[in-house]
Amino acid sequence: MHDDQQVVRLEQLDKALKGGQFPVRWVEDLGFGYGYPLFNFYPPLSYYLGEIYHLTGLGYIDSIKLVWFTALLGSALAMYFLAKEFFGRAGGTVAALFYLYAPYHAVDAYIRGALAELFSFVWLPLILLAVYKKRPVLAGILLGLLMITHNLIFLPYMVFFAVWALVFSRKSLLLSPIIAFGLTAFFWLPELAEKQFTLVDQLLIKNLASYQIHFVCPAQLWNSPWGFGGSVAGCFDGMSFALGKISWLVILVSLVAALLWRNRKALLVWVLLAFSLFMTTDYSRFLWDRISPLWYLQFPWRFLEFVVLFAALLAGFIGKKLWLAVPLIAAVIFVQGKYFVPQRYIPVSDNQLLTDKYVKWDISGSSFEFMPKGVATYINDKGVVWVDINQFEIRNSKFEINNGNVNVNYWNPDSFSVTGNFSDNAVFQPQITNFPGWKISVDGREVPITDDNPYKLITVDISAGNHTINGIFTNTWPRVAGNAISLAFILGIGIYGVGRYQRKNH
């Protein structure tokens, strides 16, 4: 799969948690072995779920596979409960299977390997259901879960949420987002405040990652060959963006039926689907050009997730009659189920996969946008910014010292302590990139850090003699404020929930 990073990220999160870090922000071995604050910027929820599975005794690979399975099964169940409210059990079953067996769902799972986006499918129907049932607090909690599952999907989804809330529960329009932002402030506040210190803007919105070359040609929505390649400019991508002919049939029939029966709910869903389709194509370029936060989505075809959401609901609308439900279920499983298979199977164990080379070179080289701004880079032959490093420059040691002998007291992903005897003009350099929050102390007194080197590595001058050097990745003010806000909202909602339970039972 394209994003073959999930097992490594889980292993790195596990190491950080076992080192006492929570919430996890800093990972030790990515960034070519120099570390960076991955989970300060990348939504962590699916990996925390993987960690729960891992703590039951499963290996990292099996834990990630179980997260995959949970995402697929959870999305089907979520859609069933939403569609059942509108169209009964038959319609709910049809919608759930159309949601599950959508070709783009298979693209996310088996081609892109986009675990976070795959898991975001679970929350979309549940949020709509909570709003429909006028449960703004629950909708806010679910919106928060979406934020820390996939913040880039959260951004455009708020447009659909707002329309849905205006129609079904205006109380949710403001209250639910406030709750969501409060609960997840520990993530989004430092993410926004500290993005400026990373390579994100050099990598995620330019060159091959620019939205300008990833629009879907309208014909591809009807028919594009299935493949395990990537997205390129033009209409000949290596992966498919087709909705599936069964889904297209449902979409067209549902419009006719909604107009004939004057079903306002179905018409609303159809309008939202049409807008989602529009946003995948070049016809929407004028919006993408003007709304710069959209650039971080990178791929206009991400809107296919919303197309799948609303197309599944329309399938439930058509399939609410049992005599239509049965052939629709059979058709979608038979026609679209064939996409849910891997290209090939690689028999590999955790130990074979999680080698230093794989983690510090292969995976680090595929994603390094959260490394500190200022690391040495160059433009490679594909016109993409790349870290100016080769495999042989990656260090296996935890630190370098030019004059002295050092013993390690402890070394965790976000903290360390060493004691040693140092000579004149000694320089101590832990193999850690400098990022806001890192502090170094010598014999209990904080000392200045320099990072005037190609990889922005922490460097400190040490005087002659015996010294103890401690390093720790501390919380900056956005992290402190975010943590405090999230904790306050968690306590507030907990108190609200207990109070509501007591009122209900007395």
Side-chain angles (χ1 to χ4, degrees):
M1 52 193 174
H2 299 170
D3 296 340
D4 192 14
Q5 305 174 39
Q6 319 306 344
V7 174
V8 172
R9 286 174 175 171
L10 174 58
E11 184 258 355
Q12 292 289 296
L13 179 118
D14 178 63
K15 286 178 67 173
L17 284 170
K18 289 176 179 175
Q21 192 181 160
F22 186 82
V24 174
R25 299 186 187 278
W26 189 270
V27 297
E28 182 178 30
D29 298 317
L30 292 174
F32 303 99
Y34 301 130
Y36 59 66
L38 171 65
F39 293 111
N40 205 51
F41 304 103
Y42 196 91
L45 185 60
S46 53
Y47 300 99
Y48 280 110
L49 177 59
E51 178 68 5
I52 292 172
Y53 291 146
H54 176 63
L55 292 176
T56 67
L58 293 174
Y60 296 112
I61 295 173
D62 289 339
S63 297
I64 286 295
K65 287 184 177 182
L66 195 51
V67 176
W68 236 266
F69 174 77
T70 304
L72 289 167
L73 178 62
S75 65
L77 291 173
M79 177 53 72
Y80 171 78
F81 290 123
L82 172 62
K84 183 169 75 72
E85 284 293 317
F86 290 89
F87 314 121
R89 292 181 178 179
T93 303
V94 171
L97 291 172
F98 267 77
Y99 196 50
L100 175 62
Y101 284 106
Y104 184 69
H105 217 164
V107 167
D108 261 0
Y110 290 95
I111 297 174
R112 296 185 59 220
L115 181 60
E117 186 170 312
L118 185 73
F119 213 97
S120 69
F121 274 86
V122 176
W123 309 122
L124 306 188
L126 294 178
I127 294 166
L128 299 184
L129 177 60
V131 173
Y132 178 69
K133 294 177 75 70
K134 295 178 171 55
R135 302 282 297 276
V137 175
L138 178 59
I141 294 171
L142 293 168
L143 273 173
L145 292 173
L146 176 60
M147 163 74 83
I148 58 174
T149 298
H150 202 300
N151 52 338
L152 297 183
I153 291 296
F154 175 91
L155 175 67
Y157 182 72
M158 290 305 294
V159 174
F160 305 106
F161 170 84
V163 173
W164 194 267
L166 281 171
V167 173
F168 294 114
S169 175
R170 296 191 178 185
K171 188 176 181 181
S172 298
L173 188 60
L174 289 177
L175 181 56
S176 299
I178 289 172
I179 291 171
F181 281 111
L183 289 172
T184 60
F186 78 94
F187 172 70
W188 64 261
L189 186 56
E191 176 199 23
L192 293 180
E194 297 175 355
K195 177 175 67 70
Q196 60 180 310
F197 303 119
T198 71
L199 297 175
V200 163
D201 287 342
Q202 292 177 250
L203 294 171
L204 291 192
I205 60 177
K206 298 179 180 178
N207 303 316
L208 297 179
S210 170
Y211 72 90
Q212 299 180 48
I213 63 174
H214 294 291
F215 287 104
V216 178
C217 296
Q220 289 179 293
L221 296 168
W222 169 255
N223 182 44
S224 53
W226 192 259
F228 290 83
S231 173
V232 297
C235 303
F236 301 99
D237 300 87
M239 63 190 208
S240 177
F241 302 121
L243 301 187
K245 294 180 174 59
I246 302 297
S247 295
W248 269 116
L249 176 64
V250 164
I251 290 169
L252 297 174
V253 170
S254 68
L255 176 60
V256 175
L259 291 170
L260 289 176
W261 299 339
R262 297 182 180 179
N263 190 304
R264 293 182 179 180
K265 293 176 183 176
L267 286 173
L268 169 65
V269 173
W270 212 95
V271 169
L272 295 176
L273 180 144
F275 176 74
S276 303
L277 284 170
F278 168 73
M279 289 299 292
T280 68
T281 67
D282 191 68
Y283 297 113
S284 64
R285 182 184 291 269
F286 70 97
L287 290 176
W288 288 87
D289 289 344
R290 288 166 174 78
I291 306 175
S292 57
L294 283 176
W295 299 354
Y296 291 96
L297 268 71
Q298 301 172 281
F299 314 115
W301 43 257
R302 283 192 198 269
F303 272 83
L304 286 173
E305 180 167 349
F306 309 122
V307 174
V308 169
L309 171 70
F310 299 121
L313 270 177
L314 292 175
F317 170 58
I318 296 300
K320 60 184 177 180
K321 301 295 185 182
L322 189 59
W323 65 273
L324 279 173
V326 173
L328 283 172
I329 289 170
V332 75
I333 293 175
F334 177 76
V335 175
Q336 295 176 188
K338 63 187 177 183
Y339 300 125
F340 289 79
V341 291
Q343 183 179 25
R344 61 192 176 112
Y345 177 76
I346 304 171
V348 63
S349 67
D350 287 350
N351 289 336
Q352 291 172 308
L353 188 67
L354 296 171
T355 62
D356 260 13
K357 176 186 177 299
Y358 186 72
V359 175
K360 295 180 180 179
W361 181 250
D362 296 336
I363 296 302
S364 292
S366 66
S367 179
F368 49 82
E369 63 269 24
F370 303 126
M371 290 191 73
K373 183 183 291 184
V375 298
T377 59
Y378 71 101
I379 306 297
N380 67 13
D381 55 3
K382 295 181 180 179
V384 176
V385 175
W386 195 262
V387 175
D388 191 8
I389 189 172
N390 65 62
Q391 185 177 343
F392 304 104
E393 292 177 278
I394 296 175
R395 303 286 191 268
N396 292 320
S397 59
K398 298 291 188 182
F399 57 85
E400 290 190 351
I401 178 75
N402 65 339
N403 288 317
N405 299 304
V406 173
N407 294 315
V408 175
N409 300 321
Y410 64 82
W411 201 285
N412 296 319
D414 67 332
S415 63
F416 65 84
S417 176
V418 299
T419 300
N421 181 268
F422 300 89
S423 305
D424 288 334
N425 301 316
V427 175
F428 177 72
Q429 187 177 75
Q431 300 297 284
I432 299 171
T433 54
N434 190 21
F435 197 84
W438 272 108
K439 292 184 177 180
I440 305 295
S441 62
V442 177
D443 299 328
R445 298 181 60 183
E446 187 175 344
V447 296
I449 294 173
T450 60
D451 56 17
D452 186 18
N453 53 76
Y455 307 125
K456 300 281 288 183
L457 300 182
I458 292 171
T459 306
V460 291
D461 295 323
I462 308 295
S463 61
N466 294 312
H467 301 290
T468 296
I469 305 173
N470 293 313
I472 187 169
F473 186 63
T474 62
N475 282 328
T476 56
W477 76 259
R479 297 173 211 158
V480 171
N483 290 346
I485 293 169
S486 292
L487 182 59
F489 268 79
I490 290 170
L491 291 174
I493 289 174
I495 293 170
Y496 167 81
V498 171
R500 181 171 179 176
Y501 175 81
Q502 290 176 340
R503 289 192 299 272
K504 187 177 180 180
N505 288 275
H506 290 85

